[in-house]
Amino acid sequence: MTDTSVPDIHGILLAAGLSTRMEEPKQLLPFGESTIVETVVDNMLNAKFIQVVVVVGHCADQIKQVLGQRPVKLVFNPDYRDGMLTSAQKGIRSLNLVNAKNESNRDAFSLMLVDQPFVTHELINRVIDAYAGTNKGIVLPSYNNRRGHPVIFHKKYAEKILALSTQSGGVRDLYASYSDDIYYVNVDTDAVLRDIDYKEDYENAIKEVK
């Protein structure tokens, strides 16, 4: 998972949600030869992250079971019903970056969504490499001028995200406040945008992996 040519970047997977629109836990739905959550975790493990943190909440025990012995750090978010921001904050707290005073290095964290199994490790690495090659503090992929995932944040943004309230617009608020610190990686695939929210999304997705 590590690569000495890039800063230490921690991958945080937000996998705690209720999947309300799907009406069943989408993390555990079959996908290819495994499940959606396994596919995303494996993509992250094959990328250049220094470690992979999986934030769980709803169906935490089942997700832990399917992940088996994969070398990830599982973090439970008891507030998962309050929205995705709480999971991002829980994952960031687990990294102990807030008290890291030295900002001279480029250590960072990345937020990824559990319902984006088409984001391959190659796509992740492209964003990581772009981060390593720029002095910007926020790096994310863009397809047809639309922001996608994964998003990489310099560690200095940890405190700013932890200070956001659940009534805020979440991490998107940072895009407006720090627009001059964003670097966009133009990609030629909509995989960075595609998520699986509804049953129709899932049915279309699994047709592509059969």
Side-chain angles (χ1 to χ4, degrees):
M1 283 191 295
T2 62
D3 187 318
T4 56
S5 66
V6 299
D8 286 350
I9 301 177
H10 305 263
I12 301 174
L13 178 62
L14 309 181
L18 289 162
S19 306
T20 305
R21 289 171 288 189
M22 185 67 69
E23 299 179 347
E24 59 182 310
K26 57 186 172 184
Q27 303 96 315
L28 299 169
L29 289 173
F31 191 83
E33 297 180 357
S34 57
T35 61
I36 290 179
V37 67
E38 288 175 274
T39 301
V40 178
V41 166
D42 288 342
N43 287 336
M44 295 176 71
L45 289 172
N46 285 319
K48 298 177 183 179
F49 290 129
I50 190 72
Q51 74 164 332
V52 173
V53 175
V54 181
V55 183
V56 295
H58 186 55
C59 296
D61 290 340
Q62 294 96 313
I63 292 172
K64 181 179 179 180
Q65 183 176 1
V66 300
L67 291 181
Q69 299 302 309
R70 288 175 174 85
V72 301
K73 178 179 182 180
L74 284 166
V75 175
F76 180 72
N77 174 23
D79 302 314
Y80 66 89
R81 293 179 183 275
D82 294 330
M84 192 181 299
L85 175 62
T86 65
S87 290
Q89 292 171 331
K90 193 72 176 178
I92 292 167
R93 285 193 186 95
S94 76
L95 302 178
N96 297 317
L97 292 176
V98 175
N99 295 322
K101 300 298 183 184
N102 178 18
E103 291 191 8
S104 62
N105 64 46
R106 296 279 294 158
D107 291 353
F109 58 92
S110 176
L111 297 178
M112 292 193 59
L113 308 180
V114 75
D115 61 355
Q116 292 192 317
F118 291 107
V119 176
T120 63
H121 73 275
E122 291 93 350
L123 276 172
I124 297 170
N125 284 343
R126 185 167 175 187
V127 181
I128 290 175
D129 290 342
Y131 177 84
T134 182
N135 61 359
K136 298 292 187 180
I138 302 173
V139 175
L140 51 84
S142 173
Y143 177 75
N144 284 349
N145 296 314
R146 294 176 62 193
R147 290 190 296 260
H149 284 82
V151 185
I152 296 178
F153 294 93
H154 185 281
K155 64 182 180 182
K156 67 184 178 183
Y157 285 104
E159 282 189 84
K160 302 180 192 307
I161 295 176
L162 292 179
L164 294 171
S165 74
T166 53
Q167 276 67 52
S168 71
V171 296
R172 290 186 182 89
D173 285 357
L174 301 183
Y175 301 155
S177 301
Y178 302 98
S179 58
D180 60 345
D181 198 28
I182 299 177
Y183 180 83
Y184 292 97
V185 183
N186 292 315
V187 298
D188 58 2
T189 172
D190 67 351
V192 299
L193 307 178
R194 292 178 61 187
D195 50 20
I196 298 175
D197 284 329
Y198 298 95
K199 290 185 177 180
E200 182 181 0
D201 299 331
Y202 174 62
E203 290 167 359
N204 290 334
I206 57 176
K207 291 176 184 176
E208 298 183 35
V209 294
K210 285 184 177 179

